[in-house]
Amino acid sequence: ALGLPYADPAGGLMGAAAALAALRHRELTGEGQHIDLSEAETLVTCLTEGFAELAATGKEPERAGNADRNWAPHGVYPCQDDRWLAIAVTNDDEWQALVDRMGRPGWALSGAFDTVHGRLANRDSIDSFISNWTAGQDAFDIAERLQDRGVPATPSQHAGDVLNDPHLRSRGFFRDVNHPGMGLRPVHSAAFRYGHEPLPIRRAAPLLGEDNDAVLGNLLGVPRDRLARFEERGSLT
């Protein structure tokens, strides 16, 4: 779980991309641009499949929850201590590995679930059987045992879990950064790489107004005397 509204980080990333595109446009043409960014419109870009289906067929897609139109089982299942486990079986081999880990129960051996078409047709029954199997077990233990067999599975995590996730830690995804206002804090690096190592974090997040001169003066070219007038009037913080 992100622990905050999804629109906030999505909107921030979209805003950064828009600003970079505007700066590139200025370099090429000498012209400035006006950016009108709506977080709601940003989230629409995450729903393109549904809108494309509506435009092509006129049929409004139904809510699917955790289900997937191509894979089954594909859901989040209850475990002990009010934890949940996500399992996503993407092919027949993964299904057989899951069945093996469940101890090859009789309900899974009829042959009705051996193909993806059979599993999609019976997804509700399969979800019920898997929920009965996961209930009362430790989500992290099941996830590790399934991952060992190549089955995509992971506990549903809160922020503390994500911070201590062994996969992310082993890849150096989190880095300790010293912030002048908050002290030493773990900060996540970029989710992509250009080589074997994570991209470096060159500095902590700026304090309020710390980069006014660099952005408005150096980058955007606002004259210093004009910036001074803005500051005197309290227009800048």
Side-chain angles (χ1 to χ4, degrees):
L2 286 172
L4 75 166
Y6 186 78
D8 288 358
L13 289 172
M14 189 70 73
L20 291 173
L23 291 171
R24 178 61 173 166
H25 178 79
R26 190 190 68 171
E27 286 184 356
L28 295 175
T29 67
E31 300 174 346
Q33 288 192 342
H34 172 78
I35 298 173
D36 183 359
L37 178 68
S38 162
E39 284 195 344
E41 291 176 343
T42 297
L43 288 183
V44 170
T45 66
C46 303
L47 304 171
T48 50
E49 182 179 349
F51 282 104
E53 181 177 357
L54 177 62
T57 67
K59 179 182 178 182
E60 185 173 342
E62 297 180 357
R63 292 185 179 184
N66 293 310
D68 187 273
R69 67 176 63 195
N70 298 313
W71 300 337
H74 187 285
V76 182
Y77 305 94
C79 298
Q80 69 181 24
D81 299 326
D82 199 28
R83 301 302 299 254
W84 296 78
L85 175 72
I87 300 175
V89 170
T90 64
N91 56 54
D92 296 340
D93 290 339
E94 291 174 1
W95 167 250
Q96 292 301 328
L98 173 60
V99 171
D100 287 343
R101 275 299 186 219
M102 290 190 293
R104 301 192 65 79
W107 62 265
L109 304 180
S110 66
F113 310 137
D114 288 349
T115 66
V116 65
H117 299 292
R119 294 193 295 275
L120 287 171
N122 296 279
R123 69 163 77 243
D124 292 339
S125 297
I126 295 175
D127 285 345
S128 178
F129 285 128
I130 294 178
S131 294
N132 291 334
W133 174 66
T134 58
Q137 297 193 65
D138 181 78
F140 291 87
D141 178 62
I142 302 177
E144 184 175 353
R145 289 190 285 123
L146 290 178
Q147 290 172 14
D148 285 343
R149 290 297 304 273
V151 180
T154 187
S156 178
Q157 298 182 330
H158 54 62
D161 294 331
V162 173
L163 182 61
N164 295 295
D165 182 273
H167 297 285
L168 298 177
R169 282 291 181 180
S170 68
R171 289 160 175 77
F173 181 67
F174 290 103
R175 302 295 182 92
D176 290 330
V177 175
N178 193 19
H179 190 276
M182 302 182 65
L184 195 65
R185 289 290 188 272
V187 176
H188 65 76
S189 58
F192 53 87
R193 298 182 181 186
Y194 294 125
H196 295 292
E197 295 298 322
L199 294 178
I201 300 175
R202 292 190 294 269
R203 53 170 289 185
L207 298 173
L208 183 63
E210 181 179 341
D211 289 335
N212 284 350
D213 285 344
V215 174
L216 298 176
N218 297 340
L219 191 60
L220 299 181
V222 178
R224 298 295 175 182
D225 58 342
R226 189 177 182 188
L227 287 177
R229 292 197 300 272
F230 286 157
E231 292 175 353
E232 290 174 0
R233 294 200 301 261
S235 301
L236 298 177
T237 55

